[in-house]
Amino acid sequence: MTVSTQGLALNSGSRAWRSAVELLSSMRFSISLLTVICIASVIGTVLKQHEPLNNYVNQFGPFWTEVFGLVSLYSVYSAWWFLLILAFLVTSTSLCVVRNTPKILADLKSYKENIREQSLQAFGQRAQMVLAESAEPAAHRVGNLLVSGGWRVKLQRRETPQGTGWMVAAKAGAANKLGYIAAHSAIVLVCLGGLLDGDLIVRAQMLFNGKQVYKGGGLIADVPQQHRLGERNPTFRGNLLVAEGTQSSTAILNQSDGVLLQDLPFAIELKKFIVEYYSTGMPKLFASDIVIHDKATGERIEARTEVNHPVKYRGIEIFQSSFDDGGSSLRLRAQSLTGRTQPFDLEGIVGGSSQLTNEAGAPGDQLTVEYTGLRVINVENFGGNPAEGIDVRKVDLRDAMNAQMGAANKTKEQKNLRNVGPSVTYKLRDGAGQAREYHNYMLPVDMGEGVPVFLLGMRETPADTFRYIRVPADDKGSMDDFMRLSQALSNPALRDKAVQRYAAKAVDGKRPELSAQLSASAARALALFAGVPVGGQTPAVAGLQAISDFIEANVPEAERSKAGEVLVRILNGVLFELEQVAREQAGMPAFAPDARGQAFMTQAVLALSDVPLYPAPLVLTLADFTQVQASVFQVARAPGKTVVYLGCALLILGVFAMLYVRERRVWVWLAPGQDSNTSQATLAFSTNRKTLDSDKEFEHLKARLLAWKE
């Protein structure tokens, strides 16, 4: 039997109805739908699903974001058109199975023993021979040989004008036809499982039970009932965040335009979250020790869930999905880079916020600190120290070949991974609602520049990368020395004192005219660097850029290089004296001009030059913290999973049967010979796939059944 690609042919109804039924039940329609689903699945895999809308706007722009949103490409697997195609595919494939299964089953029972003798002559693989035995014994002998070879055999006796003849009909490999039924039934089962475990039932509840997507905020307990799904919801998949020492019984089901809340018949308490890291800083294991509190019985069940090792309770599986901060306590030190406010401590919780008064002191000018994250481990790559330099003349064939050839995981640069300690992330939001994000490390980091530095990062939007100011650490591992220097730079009296000291040390006291000139030059360079007015004009910028602008505006081009070197040398000398003055005022010993002191001053000059570009009035550095971990669980009731597993098993069996099992049929017609002791044998062989094995099998059958000799 050949499986038809045509659909059901109705004998009644209108022409349009008969055409629609024929198309819906045809194999070509099923294949077309399957192709569309494959394309949609590729889109859903490549394009991240259920991301915030701003992420798509940044990636595609406003126009294409709106276009893609109209066709629900951001939630492909729950889109109405995807579910509709799945439903049509289930219907179409089911009709194909229903239409062809009776024919296949009838064909499995049929030996086709009624084939005419003349029809055997039309087979491509046939043979004829005279046997030295009568027809009946030959038929039984041939039948027994076929049965011993694994064939199913049926003998038919026929009366002919020449006498009594026998037809031996045999078949093997009938599982090939069953493979068609199994493979197509598997498609139906997999699609049904996908529909059961998808959003179809949730959408049905929204349509018929009045459930609505929740778009607001606030506490979960305050969300109205119309946004909640009952504990008996037959299928769902949601996320549950539980902090250490707390419990929760409500999962979040993300939708394209909001969320739904799923009430669970039990509460999950997180006793302890466990995480282990690779040397690269990536987590290699995270697990949760949990306690399940049954609402109905009050029973407490202790369990552990790990990645790929879920816990199942009352038909709901609890997966370890990821982890997050559960509200760690932070203690931060707030300091002003310009010295306009005194340092103070600030306490907060990750996920919370605090109110600050802007140092500008304008009425109602408030800043909100939003604590967004705490990272206890930060593993960074310090390989390839740029201080070593690169010899552009070097040609090393071995290194070049090793870099380009060999294993695919080789890299051209050496990695030096090092944990640089905790860091805190926060946002400063002004009264207008505008916010910048900051990322500061708790401990100074050795960047190979002679002195460890505190990294103070800032970015305008989440799409940007953090830009860092490198503040040098003093011999006590703090920013105190730098803060004193920064505050002294904004103090006119201390600046004048530093200028006078510098001029007195740099010029011989017997030449007072040179001392006055040097004092004027030093005062001008320091004022430009500090961003204060010089000659009645306020520079547009401060730092080294202000000195560069001054040179370009007042010095001929041919002399700019020399003038720049002189001014920078003067600036460095005056800032060193300013550091000494600031330490004296604080009652500290003089600053030692050794190698470390020089490295400190070099980095301090660069950091002071960047301070005017730092938009925050205060720097919040992490002083202490108490980490609270939270575990993110995925809870799922998936009745379709068993159906999908069954479908996968059937698909494997069906594909194996169709590809590796050949259906074969053999007919041997034994007609009476010229005398009673002979018979005329005609052998015909057919298979659904013509291969080299079928040719060999035909030759084997000829030799065994007919004692054929070439």
Side-chain angles (χ1 to χ4, degrees), residues 32 98 102 146 165 199 212 245 274 294 327 329 345 360 413 429-430 556 571 573 585 600:
S32 301
V98 170
L146 288 171
D199 287 351
Q212 301 175 5
I274 304 160
D294 194 299
S329 299
D345 290 334
E413 60 180 16
R429 191 177 301 276
D430 59 22
L571 176 66
Q585 189 181 36
F600 176 88

Side-chain angles (χ1 to χ4, degrees), residues 141-253:
R141 178 183 63 81
V142 169
N144 290 332
L145 289 174
L146 288 171
V147 170
S148 65
W151 295 73
R152 299 176 62 187
V153 181
K154 186 173 185 179
L155 276 65
Q156 183 188 58
R157 180 175 178 176
R158 295 183 185 179
E159 297 296 334
T160 66
Q162 293 80 19
T164 302
W166 288 82
M167 175 66 75
V168 181
K171 62 180 180 178
N176 176 269
K177 289 291 196 306
L178 295 177
Y180 172 88
I181 300 177
H184 286 73
S185 300
I187 296 176
V188 175
L189 291 176
V190 170
C191 292
L192 283 176
L195 289 173
L196 286 175
D197 291 348
D199 287 351
L200 184 63
I201 294 180
V202 173
R203 288 181 175 271
Q205 295 186 61
M206 295 172 62
L207 183 63
F208 299 109
N209 292 348
K211 300 299 181 181
Q212 301 175 5
V213 171
Y214 184 67
K215 303 179 181 180
L219 298 176
I220 291 179
D222 298 334
V223 177
Q225 193 63 32
Q226 65 265 28
H227 306 297
R228 296 176 176 269
L229 302 177
E231 296 180 358
R232 296 184 179 180
N233 185 16
T235 174
F236 60 84
R237 187 177 297 272
N239 294 321
L240 189 71
L241 188 145
V242 185
E244 287 180 333
T246 65
Q247 57 180 274
S248 177
S249 61
T250 305
I252 305 297
L253 277 62

Side-chain angles (χ1 to χ4, degrees), residues 65 263 430 443 474 615 681:
T65 298
D263 292 326
D430 59 22
L443 303 175
D474 54 27

Side-chain angles (χ1 to χ4, degrees), residues 263-280:
D263 292 326
L264 303 176
F266 53 83
I268 300 176
E269 177 187 355
L270 179 61
K271 292 179 61 179
K272 183 175 180 56
F273 178 77
I274 304 160
V275 59
E276 297 178 3
Y277 294 91
Y278 291 106
S279 60
T280 60

